[in-house]
Amino acid sequence: MAALLKDGRYTNVFQGDRLRSVNHEHFRIPWWYRAEFRVDGARDLRTYIRTNGIIPRADLWLNGVEIADHTQIAGAFAVHEIDVTRLVHSGVNTLAVKVYPAEPERDLIMGWIDWNPPAPDNNMGLWRGIDVLRSGPVSLHGLRVTSNLALPTLDQAALAIKAEVRNDDDAAHSVVVGGETAGVKFHRRLALKPHESKTVTFNPASDPALELHNPRVWWPVGLGSHALYKVKLSAKVNGALSDHAQTTFGIRDVRSHLTPQGYRQFVVNGMPLLIRGAGWSPDMFLRVQPKRLAEEFHYVRNLGLNAIRTEGKLERQHFYDLADRNGIMILSGWECCDKWEGWAGTGGAPWDAADMKVARESMTSEARLLRNHPSVIAFLIGSDNAPPAKIAQLYVDALHAADWPNPIVSAASAQKTPAAGPSGLKMAGPYAWVPPNYWYADKHGGAFGFDSEMSAGIDIPTLDSLKKMLSAVALKALWQKPHVKQYHAAPAFSPFSTLKRFDAALAARYGKPRSLEDYVEKAQLANYEATRAQFEAYAAHMDADAPATGLIYWMLNNAWPSLHWHLFNYYLDPAGAYFGAKKANEPIHILYAYGSGKIVAVNLTRQSAADLTAQIRVRDLDGRIRYEKRIAHVTLPANQTRELLQLPKLAHLSPTYFVELDLTKSHDKLVSRNVYWLSTHPDELDWKKSTWYITPVTRYADFSALEQMPATTVEVSAATRRAGVNDITTVTIRNPAKSNHVAFFQHLSIRRGANGAPVLPVTWNGNDVTLWPGESITLTARYGAADLAGAVPTVRLHGFNVARREIPAPVIRKGVKTN
């Protein structure tokens, strides 16, 4: 399908329901791939073809001779290497690959379940590519490095470097294997019989210098640098280079244990962590998009997340390289449903001996791909269901045989296997809308333990994105006909195919939408408050008696433009859910705990924060202060929380009111600012009727008074400066004291000139802000200068009760404005 899109056979398949127009007959027959490559140089070199995973299976021919068939080459993740030395010749050689039709319920590949419509081709093809490798008589394989880091001092690390050394020749050879890492050189002489393979190991016992002193340690984002080392290895026969290999690795220690309550806690470099992550989705057609991938990792960091879960959508090498460099922890694992859990009755066919073979090869291949990456901290051998004992043992044995250095987890749900023990995770949902106070309960997906996937479901994109992805009919239904199945919500069989639960809550809480624009505006409020509360609740309970140890927001992104399950949408246009999550994941943060009314400060860093001042105010809807408390000399120990106070119950508040929280340090430098809109009649949940994806609401909070807020006008100034290939726009918003009105939930975007398209991707230091009379705030946005397409950067501002405005922000160079 990616080839047909690149060829222009189909265009704009993500708009409306145009994906339905794709002819599925294209993919009910095999596809042929053909490539030519040259072989030059010494005739005594050996040549290999390496397949890195083919969906679902393939036959291979080299120069007209079949070298492997589809019983040998099968599975999305299984890597195979074929010696083709006898078939290659100098000059041009031709490789042909026949790929068979794919079916997720029959093949161990990838399926999309209810994430989005299935790819019309079920992703058949050479998704990870094929390599041609050449070496001398002795080749190197599986270069890997493990480190034993001294805890808690982190001042020493013992490195162990291993590789398989294989003699592919009919003659015996003496080979010198040598290498270098961290300024340490090492070598070993091996005698290899014809076609013999040996594992060579270098460690402090053989090479004392591999005991490193004061090593550079790899830390997850927000806790330190993400130091990486490189190791190089060579094999020489009779003084001539026969093969070489290299890889990067990080020095860090990852462990996990079960809390007294039975939940998994990850510990990195001796420090217990709250995993704050989200679920990953690749492009729907598995296209290689390095620039986009880098942009998505920038968003992950900007969101304040420290982890990504890849449920069955295991990625290419570049993905993990980016995770290493950005300090983003990866929870890898197999997917639910379809063939992968066919033994659990989830829709896929039961397994046979051929499936067991593919599963073993797949696990071995993934272990080899992932084991050197410091970002990868675990592998989940099951998802919704833990595998049967025999399959679980197969996975665990394959991981151990590959020197897997990280925890092995039985499932993403609360299940166990004899081979890996209790998972320590829960999969309690929800997956559809719930109010913010849900997350503070001690039930289901509430903030205790480690929830492997959950969120309030629907995430309405910006109006710009909606107009790109939905037809006129679907746009109208979005706010007028919530019971209509939306093609861009979920497949028709899914309970998430309509927006009726979300839309009912939106109308009840914020007032019936008056237009599409009004619907989108209110949806951003709902998305912001629900997402912020989810991350805040887990952070607030990370050192509780029954601690919250991890959460995976479902999801981070989408394979195609979607109305649910994302922190940023397919067009990389950040909206309410994005900025709610970003606010909650501030390194040092002050929050309001729904339900209890407690004010809590959170420190997610490795450094203690001292001499902080907390300012807590409760305001009526008109902005008048009804309660005020200042707490000085607050100290926040590293990686801990602190309860600051319990808000008192106040009489005669307006039915909708605000809680304003500020945390500052010396000289009133702002550390954290947080504004909540609350109701004197909070949401009430019917816990007894909870399902795996929803907890019903018996009474909704009432925010309808927000619609009656007086319109106000704010003062805005903006300027842009060039920083390499990026532009940085600084925007100052001021709500004049004379206005006497609250400027509520103001959103900023960067546009290509007046009334232009949004400039994307863009990372803000904050957004969706509320200002009281006389208050101002300065925000910055960073984006690619080239993405302006020659236009003058323009700031668009609009708020819930603030009319839309556009302010030019031309680039200033050495005091001169330029377009």
Side-chain angles (χ1 to χ4, degrees):
M1 187 63 200
L4 292 178
L5 290 171
K6 187 174 181 180
D7 193 51
R9 190 77 58 91
Y10 294 102
T11 59
N12 203 17
V13 294
F14 286 166
Q15 202 279 328
D17 64 353
R18 295 183 64 172
L19 188 67
R20 287 176 166 151
S21 68
V22 175
N23 183 359
H24 287 234
E25 294 299 321
H26 292 321
F27 314 112
R28 293 194 174 106
I29 57 174
W31 273 55
W32 285 89
Y33 293 76
R34 182 183 184 277
E36 295 179 349
F37 62 93
R38 293 190 61 87
V39 170
D40 298 313
R43 294 184 60 83
D44 57 349
L45 291 180
R46 305 193 67 84
T47 306
Y48 309 87
I49 298 295
R50 184 174 66 200
T51 63
N52 297 305
I54 293 177
I55 299 177
R57 58 180 58 80
D59 304 325
L60 278 71
W61 282 263
L62 181 64
N63 295 330
V65 178
E66 188 173 35
I67 58 174
D69 67 24
H70 58 275
T71 64
Q72 301 165 280
I73 309 297
F77 308 103
V79 176
H80 296 280
E81 188 176 291
I82 307 162
D83 189 338
V84 294
T85 304
R86 65 183 178 85
L87 295 176
V88 296
H89 51 251
S90 295
V92 175
N93 293 261
T94 303
L95 178 68
V97 183
K98 182 182 181 181
V99 177
Y100 290 84
E103 175 51 62
E105 294 185 359
R106 182 194 64 208
D107 306 306
L108 291 173
I109 51 170
M110 296 186 199
W112 296 98
I113 314 144
D114 56 358
W115 296 15
N116 44 259
D121 62 347
N122 286 322
N123 298 124
M124 66 183 292
L126 311 182
W127 81 284
R128 274 181 174 170
I130 291 179
D131 298 321
V132 179
L133 310 174
R134 305 201 78 200
S135 70
V138 175
S139 55
L140 297 171
H141 302 267
L143 174 59
R144 54 203 183 273
V145 184
T146 56
S147 57
N148 186 1
L149 181 63
L151 299 177
T153 60
L154 311 182
D155 60 354
Q156 286 186 302
L159 302 185
I161 301 164
K162 291 184 179 181
E164 276 67 64
V165 187
R166 192 178 73 201
N167 182 6
D168 294 319
D169 206 0
D170 294 331
H173 286 288
S174 175
V175 56
V176 176
V177 180
E180 181 178 1
T181 188
V184 180
K185 294 183 178 181
F186 44 86
H187 69 276
R188 185 82 42 77
R189 182 176 293 276
L190 299 175
L192 293 175
K193 299 175 184 177
H195 303 288
E196 182 182 16
S197 181
K198 289 183 179 180
T199 298
V200 62
T201 302
F202 303 95
N203 57 32
S206 61
D207 298 87
L210 289 175
E211 181 80 45
L212 303 186
H213 299 282
N214 299 314
R216 293 179 292 116
V217 176
W218 187 94
W219 281 98
V221 64
L223 299 177
S225 66
H226 326 305
L228 296 173
Y229 288 83
K230 181 178 289 186
V231 59
K232 297 180 179 180
L233 207 63
S234 66
K236 292 183 178 180
V237 176
N238 297 325
L241 181 66
S242 182
D243 199 9
H244 62 91
Q246 67 179 37
T247 190
T248 57
F249 66 95
I251 295 175
R252 52 83 166 133
D253 182 276
V254 173
R255 308 182 189 191
S256 72
H257 61 263
L258 299 182
T259 67
Q261 298 79 20
Y263 288 102
R264 189 167 296 273
Q265 171 84 66
F266 282 92
V267 181
V268 178
N269 301 333
M271 181 177 177
L273 294 183
L274 173 66
I275 299 295
R276 309 182 312 278
W280 173 256
S281 181
D283 176 74
M284 188 171 172
F285 307 117
L286 307 184
R287 289 172 289 188
V288 179
Q289 299 171 307
K291 182 175 182 293
R292 179 184 175 91
L293 195 59
E295 291 163 347
E296 289 175 307
F297 269 94
H298 283 310
Y299 271 16
V300 173
R301 287 181 62 109
N302 185 250
L303 279 161
L305 303 181
N306 62 11
I308 291 172
R309 179 182 167 211
T310 56
E311 188 212 0
K313 309 301 184 289
L314 304 176
E315 273 286 358
R316 300 171 176 89
Q317 179 79 35
H318 184 57
F319 175 90
Y320 304 104
D321 290 341
L322 284 172
D324 292 344
R325 296 200 295 267
N326 284 281
I328 305 301
M329 295 176 286
I330 304 296
L331 293 163
S332 286
W334 302 125
E335 70 179 52
C336 81
C337 316
D338 296 331
K339 182 69 174 186
W340 284 101
E341 292 189 359
W343 30 260
T346 59
W351 285 23
D352 57 20
D355 298 318
M356 296 287 283
K357 175 179 177 290
V358 172
R360 183 183 300 106
E361 292 169 346
S362 299
M363 188 72 266
T364 297
S365 299
E366 285 305 298
R368 291 172 176 170
L369 172 67
L370 300 176
R371 62 190 172 187
N372 286 326
H373 290 281
S375 57
V376 177
I377 63 168
F379 200 96
L380 281 61
I381 59 174
S383 182
D384 290 22
N385 297 281
K390 183 178 180 180
I391 297 174
Q393 193 64 56
L394 176 154
Y395 286 144
V396 170
D397 288 348
L399 285 162
H400 286 162
D403 289 330
W404 181 252
N406 305 312
I408 302 170
V409 182
S410 289
S413 59
Q415 298 184 26
K416 62 182 179 180
T417 62
S423 72
L425 306 184
K426 64 178 181 177
M427 189 184 282
Y431 297 85
W433 186 85
V434 290
N437 58 353
Y438 171 98
W439 305 107
Y440 285 87
D442 59 357
K443 304 175 180 67
H444 301 292
F448 61 93
F450 195 130
D451 202 328
S452 64
E453 50 184 68
M454 83 295 203
S455 76
I458 297 298
D459 285 306
I460 300 300
T462 64
L463 190 59
D464 288 304
S465 294
L466 287 171
K467 289 179 177 179
K468 284 185 182 180
M469 60 191 270
L470 299 184
S471 67
V473 172
L475 283 170
K476 184 176 181 179
L478 190 64
W479 67 281
Q480 293 185 353
K481 299 178 180 179
H483 286 77
V484 170
K485 291 183 184 294
Q486 285 277 0
Y487 190 53
H488 283 261
F493 67 82
S494 170
F496 314 114
S497 61
T498 74
L499 277 62
K500 59 185 179 182
R501 295 177 185 85
F502 176 81
D503 286 3
L506 198 68
R509 298 170 89 241
Y510 289 103
K512 187 176 180 179
R514 300 184 300 271
S515 65
L516 174 62
E517 290 75 12
D518 186 50
Y519 173 88
V520 174
E521 194 81 43
K522 291 172 177 174
Q524 302 316 313
L525 293 173
N527 291 160
Y528 185 103
E529 58 166 346
T531 306
R532 175 179 60 179
Q534 177 176 333
F535 283 99
E536 284 183 336
Y538 273 75
H541 290 91
M542 69 181 189
D543 51 8
D545 292 338
T549 58
L551 72 155
I552 300 296
Y553 185 90
W554 208 247
M555 298 178 64
L556 174 68
N557 59 343
N558 295 127
W560 88 318
S562 179
L563 296 169
H564 71 174
W565 295 348
H566 62 256
L567 290 176
F568 54 85
N569 69 30
Y570 186 82
Y571 303 109
L572 306 182
D573 193 353
Y578 183 105
F579 292 110
K582 177 175 172 59
K583 174 57 61 179
N585 287 306
E586 292 174 327
I588 297 175
H589 183 61
I590 187 169
L591 63 88
Y592 167 85
Y594 286 87
S596 69
K598 295 177 180 179
I599 307 301
V600 180
V602 179
N603 184 352
L604 295 172
T605 77
R606 286 172 58 214
Q607 289 78 39
S608 175
D611 199 25
L612 300 173
T613 299
Q615 186 78 42
I616 297 112
R617 295 186 179 97
V618 179
R619 296 176 181 263
D620 271 336
L621 187 65
D622 61 8
R624 288 182 299 171
I625 297 173
R626 298 294 310 280
Y627 170 84
E628 187 170 14
K629 180 74 173 180
R630 186 175 184 271
I631 305 173
H633 309 300
V634 174
T635 297
L636 282 178
N639 198 35
Q640 291 186 33
T641 68
R642 178 177 170 185
E643 183 181 324
L644 298 179
L645 64 76
Q646 170 81 55
L647 274 184
K649 294 187 180 295
L650 302 177
H652 310 300
L653 276 174
S654 57
T656 299
Y657 63 98
F658 299 105
V659 170
E660 173 196 0
L661 307 175
D662 288 323
L663 199 61
T664 58
K665 57 183 179 182
S666 55
H667 307 294
D668 294 325
K669 183 178 180 181
L670 188 65
V671 175
S672 176
R673 181 181 189 274
N674 216 347
V675 175
Y676 297 79
W677 50 100
L678 302 172
S679 173
T680 54
H681 301 286
D683 300 283
E684 294 181 1
L685 294 115
D686 189 351
W687 293 103
K688 292 181 180 179
K689 294 184 179 178
S690 295
T691 68
W692 63 272
Y693 67 93
I694 190 67
T695 295
V697 177
T698 56
R699 186 179 76 170
Y700 292 105
D702 183 4
F703 298 123
S704 58
L706 291 171
E707 294 192 284
Q708 309 307 316
M709 295 176 69
T712 190
T713 301
V714 295
E715 299 170 355
V716 187
S717 61
T720 302
R721 62 182 175 87
R722 184 65 44 84
V725 298
N726 293 319
D727 278 353
I728 299 174
T729 296
T730 300
V731 186
T732 298
I733 312 170
R734 184 173 182 272
N735 187 8
K738 62 183 180 181
S739 76
N740 293 321
H741 300 314
V742 179
F744 180 54
F745 205 74
Q746 298 165 90
H747 182 79
L748 300 172
S749 59
I750 305 295
R751 324 296 292 198
R752 293 176 182 165
N755 298 310
V759 177
L760 300 170
V762 59
T763 51
W764 289 90
N765 70 338
N767 212 324
D768 293 344
V769 295
T770 296
L771 296 177
W772 321 113
E775 191 175 30
S776 66
I777 193 169
T778 298
L779 303 172
T780 59
R782 177 183 288 265
Y783 50 93
D787 293 331
L788 284 166
V792 175
T794 300
V795 176
R796 177 179 293 180
L797 177 145
H798 63 91
F800 197 80
N801 65 328
V802 179
R804 192 181 98 175
R805 293 182 61 189
E806 293 199 343
I807 304 94
V811 178
I812 298 177
R813 291 180 179 171
K814 297 181 180 180
V816 179
K817 292 184 179 181
T818 61
N819 291 347

